[in-house]
C-alpha cells in the first residue's frame, strides 16, 4: 500500500494472499518479509505500497445497508435542472408531495420560447465578480457598449465542457465570449449559488419567514452518460455554492436526467401525454390542460397565492404504467441541449421500482448541434475568417444573432411550407461591409448556397428545407444510436419509448423517431416535455429509493499480492519474500463495469496485514472502464481513492496473528463510498471515491 514517508513505509509491511486455490501456506507462515529480489519496480513497490491479500474466500454481499434509510428529514425538496441551453428549478414540500411548484416566471424571455426556464448564461463583471444569470445576464450584456462589453465575461452553454473534457480537474478552465479564461468550478458554483438564493427567497416569500438552507434537500440533475469525474465535479461545485457540505453530503442528491424523467413518466395520466401514432404531434399545451378538471380550482388558488406554476401529481400509477407488467422494459430518450441520454429501465413489482437494465449510452447530439450547423452555414456564406472576427469584435451582436436563430429554429416542422426569416443584427451587416468591402446581399448571391435568400428588410430567408437540413446531422446521430441500442438483446423487446428533454419538443425529431421505431414500440411524449426532468427530479428527492438497481459504470477494485503462478503471471511482476514467490500489482475486483448493483448494496472483502508489529495499512482503490482487469498497471486503470488505517491501539499479545481488515464498498448510488475496519480494534476509516484529485 502507498505510504506518505519512508518511515511509514518501514512500518507498513505487505499483506499476503490467501484467496487463491493454489495457496497452501497458512497466513502465519507468510508473516515474515525480505527485500524484493526482482529487478522490476512496480507502481506498488515504488510507492512503498504494502501489498494486501484477500482473506475472504469470496465477496460477501449485503443487499441493504441499514444506514441507507433516511437519517434526516427535510421540509422541502428543491431540484435544479442545470441544462446546457436552459436551466430551472422546481420544489415540493415534503408534507405536500403531490404538489410540484415550478419556479416563478422569469423576467425577459423570447417570443416563441417558454420562459419556465432561463438560459444557462452567466455574466461576470470586469473584476470577475458574479453579476447576473439567465435572461438578466443576456439582456445586460446586450445593452453594453461594444467596447465596454469586451471587458465583461459572458459565458453560455458551458455545461458541455464537463462532457467533452477528458482530463477534467478542479482547475479546468472555461473561455468567456471575450476570450478570457475563468475557472470552471467558479462558474458552476456561481450558477448554483444563484439558484440557491432564488429558491430560498421564493420559499421564504411563501412561508412568510426566513427559510433555512438546512431544511432543504437539493437535487441536481446530470446526464447519465457523463463520466464519474463530471458527476463529482458538479457535487464539488454545489459544496462551494453552499448547497450542502461534505460533512452533510446526504443533503445533496446527484440525479441522472433520464432516471428523473423515468420517475415522472410513471405518474403520467392519459391526458398528460401525447402518443405518436400516425397523427401529428401537438405541443405547447397550456398549464390548465396538464391536470384534470377536478384540480382546476385548487390549482388556480395555489397559483394566485404562490405566483408559481403548480403541478399536481396524483399519488397513483398512471394509465400507461398500469399496462406494464413485472419485467417489462422501456427506453427513456432524454434529448437536451447538449447531450442525448438513452437509458433502458425494467419494472419491478409490486411497488413499481425501477431497475436499470442496460447502461446509459448516448453522446453529444443535443440541439446545440443544430446551432453548430447554422454557424457552419454562416461560415460558408460569409467566410470563416469573418465569423471568427465578428464573434470576437462584436460578441453581444453574435449573441443577438443566435437568439434570433433559436426562436426560428423552434418553428421548424416537417410540414412547413413558408420560409423562416432570421434577422441579422445591424452591426453584422455594418461590420461585414467594413471587413469585406461589399454587402451581405452580395455575399449571399456569390455563395451559391441554395434555399437561403436575402430579404430587403435585413433578414436571411431560409426555406423550410434549408432549416430542416440543419437538423439532419444531429437527428441522424440520435436515430443511429437508437438503432444500435435496439440491436441489443436486452432492449429489442421494449414496450414503450419515452421521448423527453427540451429537444424532444422539436417536431422534426418526433417525426424521425416515430418513423424509425413506431412499429417496434409505443412512443410517448409527456406534455410540458421540457419540464419532465425537473419534475421527476423533485419526485426522486422525495423518494430516492425508487431507483432500486443501477449498472455500475466502472470496474472497482484494490491492488493485492497473490501467489505467483509460473506461466500465468508476467515475470516482471515476480516478487520473492522469504523464499515464497508473489505476484505484485494484482487487481482484486469488487465489482465489474456494467454489473447490476442494488441501491446501497455493500460489497465486503477481508485482508490481512503482514505482521503484528505493522502500524499502518494503506489500501489503494482503482477503477477502470473495462470489465476484465488483471493488474493495476493495465491500460486505463486509474487510482481513485486511498484508505489509510492506523493499526495501533492493541497490545501485541491481544492482536491475533491473522489480523482481519474488512474493506467495504457501497454501490448503487451516484456516489460511491469505501470503508476499512480493523476488526481487532474496531477502528475504521472512510473515503469517498475521488476522480478529480488523483
Amino acid at each position: 500500500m502507498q505510504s506518505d514517508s519512508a518511515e511509514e513505509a518501514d512500518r507498513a509491511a505487505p499483506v499476503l494472499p490467501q484467496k487463491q486455490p493454489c495457496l497452501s501456506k497458512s497466513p502465519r507462515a507468510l508473516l515474515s518479509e525480505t527485500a524484493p529480489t526482482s529487478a522490476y519496480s512496480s507502481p506498488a513497490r515504488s510507492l512503498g505500497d504494502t501489498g494486501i491479500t484477500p482473506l475472504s474466500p469470496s465477496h460477501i454481499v449485503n443487499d441493504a445497508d441499514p444506514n441507507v434509510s433516511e437519517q434526516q428529514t427535510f421540509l422541502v425538496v428543491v431540484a435544479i435542472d442545470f441544462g446546457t441551453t436552459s436551466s430551472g428549478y422546481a420544489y415540493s414540500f415534503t408534507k405536500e408531495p403531490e404538489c410540484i411548484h415550478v419556479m416563478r416566471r422569469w423576467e425577459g424571455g423570447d417570443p416563441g420560447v417558454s420562459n419556465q426556464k432561463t438560459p444557462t448564461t452567466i455574466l461576470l463583471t470586469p473584476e470577475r465578480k458574479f453579476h447576473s444569470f439567465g435572461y438578466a445576464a443576456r439582456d445586460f450584456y446586450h445593452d453594453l457598449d461594444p467596447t465596454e462589453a469586451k471587458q465583461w465575461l459572458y459565458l453560455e452553454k458551458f455545461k458541455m465542457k464537463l462532457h467533452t473534457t477528458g482530463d477534467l480537474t478542479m482547475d479546468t478552465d472555461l473561455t468567456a465570449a471575450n476570450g478570457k479564461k475563468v475557472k470552471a468550478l467558479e462558474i458552476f458554483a456561481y450558477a448554483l449559488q444563484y439558484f440557491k438564493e432564488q429558491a430560498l427567497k421564493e420559499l421564504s416569500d411563501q412561508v412568510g419567514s426566513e427559510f433555512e438552507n438546512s431544511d432543504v434537500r437539493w437535487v441536481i440533475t446530470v446526464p447519465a452518460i457523463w463520466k464519474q469525474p463530471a458527476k463529482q465535479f458538479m457535487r464539488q461545485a454545489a459544496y462551494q455554492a453552499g448547497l450542502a457540505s461534505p460533512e452533510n453530503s446526504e443533503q445533496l442528491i446527484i440525479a441522472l436526467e433520464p432516471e428523473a424523467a423515468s420517475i415522472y413518466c410513471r405518474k403520467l395520466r392519459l391526458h398528460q401525454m401525447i402518443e405518436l401514432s400516425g397523427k401529428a404531434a401537438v405541443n405547447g399545451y397550456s398549464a390548465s390542460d396538464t391536470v384534470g378538471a377536478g384540480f382546476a380550482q385548487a390549482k388556480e388558488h395555489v397559483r394566485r397565492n404562490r405566483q408559481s406554476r403548480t403541478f399536481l401529481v396524483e399519488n397513483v400509477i398512471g394509465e400507461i404504467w398500469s399496462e406494464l407488467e413485472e419485467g417489462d422494459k422501456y427506453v427513456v430518450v432524454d434529448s437536451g441541449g447538449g447531450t442525448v441520454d438513452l437509458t433502458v429501465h425494467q419494472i419491478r413489482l409490486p411497488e413499481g421500482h425501477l431497475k436499470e437494465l442496460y447502461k446509459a449510452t448516448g453522446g453529444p447530439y443535443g440541439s446545440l448541434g443544430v446551432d453548430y450547423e447554422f454557424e457552419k452555414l454562416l461560415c460558408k456564406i460569409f467566410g470563416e475568417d469573418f465569423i471568427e472576427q465578428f464573434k470576437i469584435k462584436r460578441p453581444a451582436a453574435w449573441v443577438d444573432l443566435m437568439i434570433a436563430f433559436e426562436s426560428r429554429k423552434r418553428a421548424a416542422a416537417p410540414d412547413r411550407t413558408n420560409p423562416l426569416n432570421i434577422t441579422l443584427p445591424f452591426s453584422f451587416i455594418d461590420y461585414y461591409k467594413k471587413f469585406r468591402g461589399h454587402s451581405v446581399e452580395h455575399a449571399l448571391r456569390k455563395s451559391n448556397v441554395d434555399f437561403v435568400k436575402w430579404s430587403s428588410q435585413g433578414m436571411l430567408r431560409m426555406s423550410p428545407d434549408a432549416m430542416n437540413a440543419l437538423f439532419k446531422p444531429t437527428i441522424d446521430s440520435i436515430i443511429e444510436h437508437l438503432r444500435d441500442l435496439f440491436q441489443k438483446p436486452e432492449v429489442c423487446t421494449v414496450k414503450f419509448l419515452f421521448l423527453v428533454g427540451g429537444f424532444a419538443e422539436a417536431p422534426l425529431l418526433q417525426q424521425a423517431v416515430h418513423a424509425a421505431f413506431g412499429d417496434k414500440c409505443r412512443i410517448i411524449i409527456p406534455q410540458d416535455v421540457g419540464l419532465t426532468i425537473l419534475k421527476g427530479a423533485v419526485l426522486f428527492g422525495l423518494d430516492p429509493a425508487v431507483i432500486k438497481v443501477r449498472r455500475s459504470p466502472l470496474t472497482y477494485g484494490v491492488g493485492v499480492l497473490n501467489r505467483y503462478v509460473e506461466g500465468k503471471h508476467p515475470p516482471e511482476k515476480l516478487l520473492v519474500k522469504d523464499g515464497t514467490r508473489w505476484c505484485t500489482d494484482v487487481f482484486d475486483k469488487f465489482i465489474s463495469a456494467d454489473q447490476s448493483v442494488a441501491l446501497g448494496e455493500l460489497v465486503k472483502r477481508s485482508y490481512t496485514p503482514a505482521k503484528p508489529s505493522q502500524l499502518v495499512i494503506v489500501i489503494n482503490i482503482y477503477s477502470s472502464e473495462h470489465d476484465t482487469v488483471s493488474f493495476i498497471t493495465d491500460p486505463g486503470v486509474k487510482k481513485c481513492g486511498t484508505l489509510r488505517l492506523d493499526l495501533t491501539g492493541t497490545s501485541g499479545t491481544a492482536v491475533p496473528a491473522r489480523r482481519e481488515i474488512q474493506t467495504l464498498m457501497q454501490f448503487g448510488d451516484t456516489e460511491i463510498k469505501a470503508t476499512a475496519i480493523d476488526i481487532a480494534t474496531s477502528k475504521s476509516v472512510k473515503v469517498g471515491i475521488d476522480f478529480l484529485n488523483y
Side-chain angles (χ1 to χ4, degrees):
M1 299 283 88
Q2 182 183 348
S3 304
D4 280 342
S5 66
E7 182 189 355
E8 193 177 88
D10 289 340
R11 288 181 290 148
V15 206
L16 307 172
Q18 204 190 335
K19 182 176 95 172
Q20 311 308 326
C22 60
L23 190 65
S24 55
K25 293 195 178 188
S26 69
R28 191 185 300 270
L30 301 173
L31 292 177
S32 60
E33 181 191 20
T34 60
T37 57
S38 167
Y40 171 74
S41 180
S42 74
R45 282 190 208 128
S46 61
L47 293 169
D49 196 323
T50 53
I52 55 172
T53 187
L55 270 179
S56 54
S58 62
H59 299 322
I60 308 165
V61 177
N62 280 11
D63 279 337
D65 175 7
N67 299 322
V68 172
S69 61
E70 287 297 295
Q71 295 295 313
Q72 195 173 345
T73 53
F74 299 96
L75 297 180
V76 70
V77 169
V78 180
I80 300 172
D81 179 3
F82 196 125
T84 303
T85 49
S86 60
S87 298
Y89 68 85
Y91 58 94
S92 178
F93 291 97
T94 48
K95 286 185 178 167
E96 291 182 288
E98 68 285 349
C99 285
I100 297 176
H101 311 281
V102 176
M103 65 193 177
R104 291 190 259 227
R105 287 186 176 276
W106 300 90
E107 294 306 313
D110 301 320
V113 179
S114 159
N115 59 346
Q116 272 308 126
K117 288 187 184 174
T118 196
T120 308
T121 53
I122 194 166
L123 184 64
L124 306 189
T125 66
E127 296 74 41
R128 296 173 174 255
K129 295 279 179 280
F130 175 81
H131 179 272
S132 48
F133 187 89
Y135 288 119
R138 218 177 62 181
D139 295 346
F140 186 91
Y141 182 63
H142 166 270
D143 293 338
L144 285 169
D145 178 80
T147 52
E148 202 184 343
K150 289 177 197 166
Q151 304 307 311
W152 290 66
L153 285 85
Y154 179 83
L155 295 102
E156 60 179 355
K157 302 176 178 126
F158 49 86
K159 180 182 165 191
M160 274 304 280
K161 183 81 172 182
L162 298 195
H163 179 70
T164 55
T165 305
D167 54 347
L168 187 69
T169 70
M170 307 290 255
D171 294 321
T172 294
D173 284 329
L174 296 172
T175 306
N178 63 0
K180 289 182 179 169
K181 292 202 180 304
V182 61
K183 290 274 175 282
L185 190 67
E186 206 174 294
I187 295 299
F188 280 82
Y190 274 144
L192 291 171
Q193 190 175 355
Y194 169 80
F195 280 113
K196 174 191 166 189
E197 287 165 6
Q198 291 289 317
L200 288 177
K201 186 174 185 305
E202 186 171 344
L203 288 165
S204 298
D205 289 350
Q206 275 211 35
V207 298
S209 62
E210 195 72 22
F211 205 91
E212 295 295 327
N213 185 61
S214 56
D215 290 328
V216 179
R217 162 167 265 168
W218 296 95
V219 182
I220 299 174
T221 63
V222 302
I225 56 165
W226 267 13
K227 294 201 183 311
Q228 298 301 104
K231 293 173 185 172
Q232 184 185 331
F233 186 94
M234 202 55 122
R235 179 170 280 275
Q236 291 301 325
Y239 289 160
Q240 192 159 316
L243 273 67
S245 65
E247 298 71 40
N248 195 16
S249 60
E250 69 278 2
Q251 189 179 357
L252 170 67
I253 295 174
I254 302 292
L256 306 180
E257 286 162 2
E259 283 188 353
S262 199
I263 291 162
Y264 180 69
C265 289
R266 288 171 9 121
K267 302 280 187 181
L268 286 176
R269 309 305 303 268
L270 288 174
H271 58 271
Q272 294 172 315
M273 59 196 177
I274 303 145
E275 182 163 358
L276 297 186
S277 52
K279 60 181 185 295
V282 184
N283 286 101
Y285 282 69
S286 68
S288 58
D289 292 331
T290 57
V291 289
F295 292 119
Q297 195 178 350
K299 202 176 99 176
E300 218 22 76
H301 173 74
V302 166
R303 193 193 291 118
R304 270 203 309 275
N305 285 329
R306 295 181 176 161
Q307 304 171 312
S308 72
R309 286 179 90 183
T310 300
F311 294 87
L312 293 174
V313 181
E314 297 170 66
N315 195 20
V316 295
I317 297 296
E319 285 100 336
I320 282 286
W321 222 256
S322 59
E323 292 181 33
L324 292 168
E325 297 167 358
E326 172 83 46
D328 277 352
K329 309 163 191 175
Y330 61 95
V331 177
V332 177
V333 180
D334 168 22
S335 45
T339 54
V340 166
D341 252 346
L342 313 174
T343 313
V344 185
H345 280 155
Q346 188 174 36
I347 304 294
R348 300 176 77 190
L349 296 176
E351 302 90 350
H353 287 136
L354 310 181
K355 174 182 179 180
E356 187 183 0
L357 197 66
Y358 185 76
K359 68 179 177 189
T361 59
Y365 318 128
S367 60
L368 273 188
V370 186
D371 299 353
Y372 293 144
E373 289 298 318
F374 178 60
E375 192 176 323
K376 274 162 66 178
L377 179 69
L378 292 176
C379 288
K380 194 172 173 188
I381 298 169
F382 303 109
E384 199 171 327
D385 54 343
F386 166 72
I387 296 297
E388 285 309 310
Q389 277 302 302
F390 180 69
K391 284 162 82 173
I392 293 163
K393 301 287 188 194
R394 303 282 189 275
W398 174 256
V399 170
D400 281 353
L401 175 55
M402 293 312 290
I403 291 166
F405 173 68
E406 180 68 28
S407 68
R408 304 320 296 141
K409 179 172 93 175
R410 288 168 183 264
D415 50 359
R416 189 182 177 99
T417 53
N418 53 326
L420 296 119
N421 293 329
I422 296 158
T423 307
L424 285 181
F426 172 74
S427 65
F428 185 98
I429 299 165
D430 182 55
Y431 189 67
Y432 184 77
K433 180 99 177 172
K434 287 176 184 162
F435 190 87
R436 285 274 190 256
H438 56 245
S439 68
V440 161
E441 188 178 359
H442 175 80
L444 266 163
R445 273 203 311 272
K446 243 181 69 176
S447 69
N448 296 324
V449 171
D450 290 339
F451 313 121
V452 182
K453 302 282 179 259
W454 176 245
S455 151
S456 54
Q457 284 90 32
M459 292 186 283
L460 287 179
R461 286 173 70 81
M462 293 186 71
S463 74
D465 285 347
M467 179 61 88
N468 294 1
L470 299 182
F471 280 77
K472 192 175 184 322
T474 303
I475 289 176
D476 285 353
S477 294
I478 295 170
I479 298 299
E480 186 184 344
H481 219 88
L482 268 167
R483 282 198 208 284
D484 289 347
L485 187 66
F486 272 84
Q487 299 299 315
K488 306 281 185 263
E490 307 96 314
V491 185
C492 58
T493 55
V494 296
K495 274 200 175 176
F496 294 101
L497 185 153
F498 290 100
L499 192 56
V500 303
F503 195 29
E505 292 173 7
L508 289 165
L509 177 60
Q510 295 175 3
Q511 185 203 46
V513 170
H514 178 246
F517 305 103
D519 58 340
K520 292 183 171 63
C521 57
R522 289 170 65 185
I523 297 164
I524 308 291
I525 304 175
Q527 288 176 11
D528 268 324
V529 64
L531 297 175
T532 301
I533 289 157
L534 195 47
K535 292 184 279 188
V538 174
L539 294 172
F540 187 39
L542 291 166
D543 180 18
V546 68
I547 302 284
K548 282 297 186 204
V549 179
R550 278 202 181 93
R551 294 265 167 176
S552 175
L554 296 171
T555 297
Y556 292 95
V558 298
V560 302
L561 282 169
N562 273 347
R563 188 69 172 278
Y564 188 83
V565 179
E566 205 71 54
K568 176 186 171 187
H569 293 137
E572 66 271 18
K573 299 287 185 191
L574 175 63
L575 175 69
V576 180
K577 291 177 182 292
D578 259 5
T580 305
R581 293 150 66 82
W582 301 105
C583 182
T584 64
D585 303 330
V586 176
F587 186 101
D588 190 41
K589 196 185 294 181
F590 271 67
I591 204 155
S592 294
D594 206 26
Q595 187 175 331
S596 288
V597 240
L599 186 76
E601 184 171 301
L602 286 174
V603 179
K604 299 181 189 177
R605 307 299 308 273
S606 289
Y607 303 100
T608 185
K611 50 189 176 183
S613 60
Q614 189 170 325
L615 301 179
V616 175
I617 186 166
V618 186
I619 300 173
N620 287 320
I621 303 161
Y622 297 89
S623 66
S624 170
E625 291 182 9
H626 306 292
D627 54 359
T628 52
V629 185
S630 302
F631 298 100
I632 61 172
T633 51
D634 286 356
V637 175
K638 291 177 182 163
K639 191 162 134 189
C640 58
T642 299
L643 290 161
R644 187 180 305 280
L645 192 59
D646 181 357
L647 300 186
T648 57
T650 54
S651 62
T653 53
V655 179
R658 195 170 100 152
R659 191 166 191 171
E660 185 179 352
I661 307 297
Q662 199 173 77
T663 306
L664 306 89
M665 278 197 214
Q666 185 182 322
F667 295 95
D669 203 352
T670 44
E671 285 82 39
I672 293 157
K673 300 174 184 75
T675 309
I677 304 162
D678 179 11
I679 300 300
T681 63
S682 296
K683 280 188 180 178
S684 69
V685 61
K686 292 186 179 180
V687 68
I689 303 299
D690 187 344
F691 296 96
L692 293 171
N693 296 307
Y694 278 94

